[in-house]
């Protein structure tokens, strides 16, 4: 994981406020578990930085609903429902998280959750993708 990614609630708040001070009009926010960097949608984590950001700047807050592989819709929406932001992301379509070609170049993962997301699960079969699609299937 890059050392430039804010992981703790204070780092997230500080970088968001700095971005707004530098001219950012919209702040797209993800919470992280400080010990691992995992990206849950637990409102309790967002409670630790969203109020501080709101108090210190007037940027539009965009709470992610991106979730991850296997995360149910209610869990993905939990933080946005709690925060009631001006804006929330919305993933359309099948949300194919196929990053296996990038994962193939990683020999060691710092955290187990990253390996699960980057390495699997694989699609055992799939329809013929459209010419514009970059979807690849494991056979």
């Amino acid at each position: 994981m890059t050392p430039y990614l804010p992981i703790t609630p204070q780092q997230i708040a500080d970088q968001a406020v700095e971005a707004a001070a530098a001219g950012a009009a919209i702040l797209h926010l993800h919470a992280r578990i400080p010990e691992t960097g995992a990206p849950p949608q637990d409102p309790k984590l967002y409670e630790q930085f969203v109020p501080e950001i709101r108090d210190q700047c007037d940027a539009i807050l965009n709470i992610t609903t991106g979730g991850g592989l296997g995360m149910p819709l209610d869990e993905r929406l939990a933080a946005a429902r709690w925060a009631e932001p001006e804006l929330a992301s919305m993933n359309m379509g099948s949300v194919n998280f196929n990053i296996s070609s990038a994962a193939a170049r990683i020999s060691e993962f710092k955290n187990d959750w990253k390996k699960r997301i980057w390495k699997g699960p694989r699609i055992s079969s799939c329809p013929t993708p459209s010419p514009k699609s970059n979807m690849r299937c494991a056979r």
Side-chain angles (χ1 to χ4, degrees):
M1 189 168 353
T2 176
Y4 304 105
L5 180 69
I7 294 178
T8 68
Q10 192 61 57
Q11 289 171 340
I12 294 166
D14 290 347
Q15 286 196 19
V17 171
E18 288 172 16
I26 299 173
L27 303 171
H28 181 84
L29 302 169
H30 292 253
R32 300 278 175 179
I33 296 174
E35 296 78 21
T36 65
Q41 285 301 97
D42 184 351
K44 291 184 186 327
L45 287 170
Y46 284 84
E47 288 174 11
Q48 296 176 40
F49 60 84
V50 167
E52 183 175 344
I53 296 168
R54 282 190 169 137
D55 289 346
Q56 294 188 38
C57 71
D58 61 359
I60 294 169
L61 301 189
N62 177 359
I63 303 295
T64 189
T65 62
L69 293 171
M71 186 180 285
L73 185 59
D74 284 343
E75 189 176 340
R76 290 174 55 185
L77 295 172
R81 286 180 172 149
W82 166 81
E84 298 181 347
E86 297 86 347
L87 182 67
S89 62
M90 184 172 121
N91 296 353
M92 299 294 291
S94 63
V95 190
N96 290 315
F97 287 90
N98 188 349
I99 51 179
S100 57
S101 61
R105 295 189 301 264
I106 300 172
S107 59
E108 185 177 331
F109 290 87
K110 183 176 179 181
N111 305 103
D112 287 341
W113 69 266
K114 290 189 98 174
K115 185 174 184 177
R116 281 193 310 274
I117 289 173
W118 282 69
K119 292 283 188 178
R122 296 296 305 248
I123 301 167
S124 60
S125 64
C126 63
T128 304
S130 72
K132 293 181 181 178
S133 171
N134 65 356
M135 185 171 75
R136 293 192 179 116
C137 302
R139 302 256 185 231

